[in-house]
Amino acid sequence: LWDKATMSLERKIDKKRLVMIGLLQELLSGKTRLKGFSKPWKQTRLDKIFCFIPSYAFSRELLTTENSPNSGIYNIHYGDIHATYAGTILDFTKERNVPIILSSGGIPAIIETLQDGDVVMTDASEDYEGVGACVELANVSGRTVTGGLHTFVLRDASGLTAAGFRGYLFKERTLANRLRKIASGVSVYSLSKTCLAEIAIALPPLDEQRAI
């Protein structure tokens, strides 16, 4: 009896999740608008919205999630974006599996650190579904954080996007498909900054972004 009830509940949850995903896609594409919003969306190239922040490529052997002597510098590895982090927001107050660079890792003397609202995107994937996978950072709170191996870091240099919306921007189905089309490779699919920068997207006004 309990097994049947559990299975029934799981099916209901799955259905609601699919409905939510569908609604989110409608909102991100502009096909469905929230009540009170009617201003047209503006086509804007990504390089007019974001600038690229340097990433630092450290292999897994030079990273740790253990409580051992380390540099105290977090490094977001592309493999974790693909496989470890759930959802669109990487919240440092909740996520415990962000690697830290080992002190023997050969850290540059000067590094570019990340901040809340930065988007860390993978530039490589072994399958098309993973092309353009990304997370938006939240609650960095004084931690020293860097982009890692096979990642781009995009920072809003324009003020055209709202915090909390930036990561979802790249989940919109049409944009995600465009990223897959420009990805190159055979066994591994890669994105280039040049191709990414040239993509134009329909961007909602800031108040509508926050509402979505």
Side-chain angles (χ1 to χ4, degrees), residues 49-64:
I49 304 170
F50 298 101
C51 64
F52 289 102
I53 304 298
S55 296
Y56 304 91
F58 288 89
S59 64
R60 279 290 186 196
E61 292 73 22
L62 297 176
L63 304 175
T64 180

Side-chain angles (χ1 to χ4, degrees), residues 36-48:
F37 296 99
S38 59
K39 291 181 181 178
W41 293 14
K42 294 182 179 180
Q43 287 286 329
T44 310
R45 276 179 40 142
L46 286 179
D47 62 356
K48 301 300 182 184

Side-chain angles (χ1 to χ4, degrees), residues 24-25 27-29 41-42 44-46 49-50 88-89 119 121 132 134 136 154 156 160-162 164-177 179 199-204 209 212:
L24 181 61
Q25 286 297 325
L27 292 171
L28 290 174
S29 67
W41 293 14
K42 294 182 179 180
T44 310
R45 276 179 40 142
L46 286 179
I49 304 170
F50 298 101
T88 300
I89 305 297
V119 175
M121 175 184 289
C134 65
E136 180 182 340
L154 295 88
D156 183 349
L160 294 175
T161 61
F165 180 80
R166 294 172 192 132
Y168 285 103
L169 181 67
F170 296 97
K171 307 296 184 185
E172 195 274 317
R173 190 175 290 114
T174 301
L175 177 55
N177 287 335
L179 294 179
I199 289 178
I201 61 171
L203 198 62
Q209 292 179 36
I212 290 172

Side-chain angles (χ1 to χ4, degrees), residues 60 77-86 122 133:
R60 279 290 186 196
H77 192 278
Y78 82 109
D80 291 323
I81 297 176
H82 283 307
T84 303
Y85 308 136
T122 63

Side-chain angles (χ1 to χ4, degrees), residues 6-24:
T6 300
M7 290 176 64
S8 176
L9 180 59
E10 289 175 347
R11 283 195 293 269
K12 289 179 180 179
I13 292 172
D14 288 340
K15 286 180 180 179
K16 287 185 177 180
R17 185 179 293 115
L18 289 173
V19 169
M20 183 180 71
I21 292 172
L23 176 58
L24 181 61

Side-chain angles (χ1 to χ4, degrees), residues 128-146:
Y128 270 123
E129 290 300 315
V131 172
C134 65
V135 289
E136 180 182 340
L137 305 189
N139 294 313
V140 172
S141 302
R143 297 172 178 84
T144 303
V145 182
T146 60

